[in-house]
Amino acid sequence: MASTKIQSFISNHRIALITTAGVGVTLLCVRRYAAGVRYTNTTTRLDGKHVIITGANTGIGKETAIDLANRGAKVTLACRDMKRAQDAADDIKQITGNQNIIVKKLNLASLKSVRSFAEDINKNEKRIDVLINNAGIMRCPYWKTDDGFEMQFGVNHLGHFLLTNLLLDKLKISAPSRVVTVSSLAHERGKMNFDDLNQEKNYDKGSAYSQSKLANVLFSSELAKKLQGTGVTTYSLHPGVINTELSRHVTQSMGWRMLLSVIKYLIKTPNEGAQTTIYCAVDESLSEETGKYYSDCAKKTPSKEALNDENAKRLWKLSAKMVDL
Ligand SMILES: NC(=O)c1ccc[n+]([C@@H]2O[C@H](COP(=O)([O-])OP(=O)(O)OC[C@H]3O[C@@H](n4cnc5c(N)ncnc54)[C@H](OP(=O)(O)O)[C@@H]3O)[C@@H](O)[C@H]2O)c1
Ligand SMILES: *[C@@H]1O[C@H](CO)[C@@H](O)[C@H](O)[C@H]1NC(C)=O
């Protein structure tokens, strides 16, 4: 009979069944843990406010845009690929019903593009309430930006450094306003190689990424000091480990691709990965905090290198020179 068959199956495969259940429960726990903390305050509205998000056509940038659009903000998607950006804007309008989603060209690997984007915004927009420096590139081959900077340092840090500086007057007249910079836990492995910021002598894609993410934290804290008393506050953050397109340059190798195809189900979804950015962009309790670093919707202490004031000052000075500010 069926039930005795099931009973004998169970007793014959007891160890396999227990193991499978154990692995299943473990994976569920890992998944739950990896999902991280949600930003649950959906009552904070952004009607009449203008938010700019770099790299908002995919990944956590797009998820952030959806959330802020749901809160009533006008959102400018600052992207390098206009087709991908327009598709994202159409999606966001459809999902949120908010038609106030603007697409503008910004290639952070070109200072010329950064300047013309900023010029356009400064001319045509009345205000910027939140600037979200989100775009990023990770572990690419030794590529250079249009201006000859190593790609990860150039896009992740220098492009955003110039962009933010060019938009500061607009941010100030919109105060209280915020600058949110998406860094990474990877900054903890980072060191500022001040003698060779572009890693021309010895390129290592991992350390170039870590250095660029350390630069994000140093930039945010130094910016906070420069903006003391203006009502413009700054935040840097680690969004979590997320299943996005960021690993596009890592997935080249077979081993990595196999590993990623498994772990992508265990790490954060883009929506989960956007939560700390959203928290830093909108949470009222943060309005008096500036220059700090966050993870999982809470303040966190960054690495020792990231807390070093000398590093921050030196990076600011060198960056200003590099982008000809
Ligand atoms: N995913 C993670 O696990 C993780 C962990 C820690 C930190 N982060 C940080 O989170 C941020 C967002 O990454 P994500 O995971 O959402 O990655 P993603 O899906 O790859 O999105 C990155 C975005 O940046 C844009 N971008 C890249 N180069 C650009 C350039 N030169 N000019 C303008 N835009 C450019 C991309 O545009 P295209 O689509 O046109 O390429 C894309 O919109 C990054 O700063 C990253 O360092 C991510
Ligand atoms: C959500 O934020 C609003 C301010 O925007 C605040 O009044 C309210 O108390 C917050 N709610 C929770 C549950 O924290």
Side-chain angles (χ1 to χ4, degrees), residues 55-61 78-81 84 106-109 134-137 155 182-185 209 213 238-242 244-246 248:
N57 57 279
T58 184
I60 63 176
C79 305
R80 61 173 165 176
D81 182 328
R84 278 168 67 90
L106 170 67
N107 176 10
L108 289 156
N134 163 80
I137 180 167
V155 169
V182 181
S183 174
S184 168
L185 183 65
Y209 181 68
K213 293 284 120 180
H238 168 55
V241 179
I242 315 143
T244 65
E245 294 176 47
L246 192 68
R248 61 185 103 181

Side-chain angles (χ1 to χ4, degrees), residues 124-179:
N124 297 309
E125 295 293 338
K126 288 205 175 60
R127 50 190 301 118
I128 306 168
D129 297 281
V130 189
L131 167 63
I132 303 181
N133 293 322
N134 163 80
I137 180 167
M138 179 178 78
R139 289 175 162 268
C140 55
Y142 192 63
W143 290 340
K144 287 191 164 179
T145 67
D146 288 5
D147 308 275
F149 306 126
E150 184 278 315
M151 186 62 74
Q152 300 181 77
F153 187 67
V155 169
N156 299 355
H157 170 64
L158 287 176
H160 284 127
F161 174 85
L162 179 62
L163 175 70
T164 307
N165 274 288
L166 295 177
L167 297 177
L168 276 187
D169 287 341
K170 194 65 80 179
L171 282 155
K172 285 178 191 164
I173 60 167
S174 315
S177 55
R178 301 184 183 193
V179 179

